[in-house]
Amino acid sequence: MLLFRIVCILFLLINFSYANDLLKYEQKSKSAIKELSINLKKSLKSVIRESGPIEAIEYCNIAALEITDDVSNLNKIFIKRTSLKLRNISNTPDKWEIDVLNSFEKRKKSGEEISTLNYQDIYIENNEIFYRYMKAIPTVKACLTCHGSNRNPKVVIKLSELYPDDSAYNYEIGEIRGAFSVKIPISN
């Protein structure tokens, strides 16, 4: 009986430690997403205000991935934005991300608010273990200049020059624009 109690206590401690680790990874993911979101919005708004949407598209083409890489490196994680309708092929979703994005769409259709759509999992890839987290990005009014259906013809031309395979348009306010995706290696 004593051995059984010891095993039960060890089981509870291990599970508590595991849950605590997941909470740390989730908090780190949310913090990095918030940082990336703020940095992208701030820099994009600044360029739009100073130079207009065409220059902002050119800026975003170069700077968005650099800003994302900076946040990744600073936090020692991998973070990106992805979508089922891509603009930049560097943001192509992997199989896991496609599955999560599709589940976000189903959850939204079932009535869940986009702001609550997130998902976390432990994922094994090439014999490495990762914590993965995704949070949906809602389409808001500011997105429509480049991602809406009623875009300025000059915006359309510039986007087609920089992104010949662009499919990230015809969005409406309240749709899922994509998601932030975080991947953190878990050391054994």
Side-chain angles (χ1 to χ4, degrees):
M1 190 65 160
L2 180 60
L3 182 60
F4 177 73
R5 287 183 183 167
I6 291 172
V7 169
C8 286
I9 290 171
L10 285 174
F11 178 77
L12 289 173
L13 288 174
I14 290 169
N15 281 328
F16 177 74
S17 174
Y18 177 75
N20 196 34
D21 287 345
L22 287 180
L23 185 59
K24 287 179 190 175
Y25 292 132
E26 180 182 15
Q27 289 169 340
K28 187 172 190 169
S29 298
K30 287 180 177 181
S31 174
I33 288 169
K34 184 176 182 178
E35 180 182 353
L36 178 58
S37 179
I38 288 170
N39 290 349
L40 288 171
K41 284 178 190 173
K42 189 166 86 173
S43 61
L44 193 57
K45 282 182 181 180
S46 173
V47 174
I48 289 172
R49 189 173 31 255
E50 293 172 16
S51 305
I54 302 302
E55 286 77 10
I57 293 166
E58 291 176 355
Y59 171 82
C60 197
N61 177 256
I62 298 165
L65 291 175
E66 290 176 3
I67 292 168
T68 303
D69 287 344
D70 289 345
V71 172
S72 287
N73 295 333
L74 182 68
N75 290 283
K76 297 179 174 76
I77 63 170
F78 178 77
I79 186 170
K80 72 176 187 178
R81 293 170 302 141
T82 191
S83 179
L84 294 172
K85 291 170 52 175
L86 285 177
R87 172 153 293 154
N88 188 331
I89 61 168
S90 297
N91 296 327
T92 300
D94 62 24
K95 168 87 170 82
W96 185 86
E97 291 166 331
I98 291 169
D99 291 344
V100 174
L101 287 164
N102 282 322
S103 79
F104 284 173
E105 291 292 345
K106 288 178 188 170
R107 290 167 56 189
K108 182 185 177 299
K109 284 180 184 171
S110 296
E112 278 190 62
E113 293 291 322
I114 295 176
S115 62
T116 66
L117 294 175
N118 64 71
Y119 183 79
Q120 62 183 320
D121 198 3
I122 302 299
Y123 186 80
I124 299 173
E125 179 180 309
N126 299 326
N127 295 323
E128 290 186 65
I129 303 171
F130 295 93
Y131 169 84
R132 300 210 54 186
Y133 181 86
M134 283 183 72
K135 178 171 179 39
I137 300 171
T139 302
V140 296
K141 186 177 180 185
C143 302
L144 299 181
T145 300
C146 297
H147 296 284
S149 57
N150 190 19
R151 300 175 295 161
N152 179 309
K154 291 179 183 178
V155 168
V156 173
I157 290 168
K158 180 51 75 177
L159 286 170
S160 65
E161 287 173 9
L162 296 173
Y163 307 102
D165 297 321
D166 181 19
S167 64
Y169 54 88
N170 287 336
Y171 282 97
E172 295 180 17
I173 293 173
E175 291 184 316
I176 297 172
R177 170 59 202 96
F180 290 101
S181 180
V182 176
K183 190 164 133 178
I184 304 173
I186 297 176
S187 42
N188 293 335

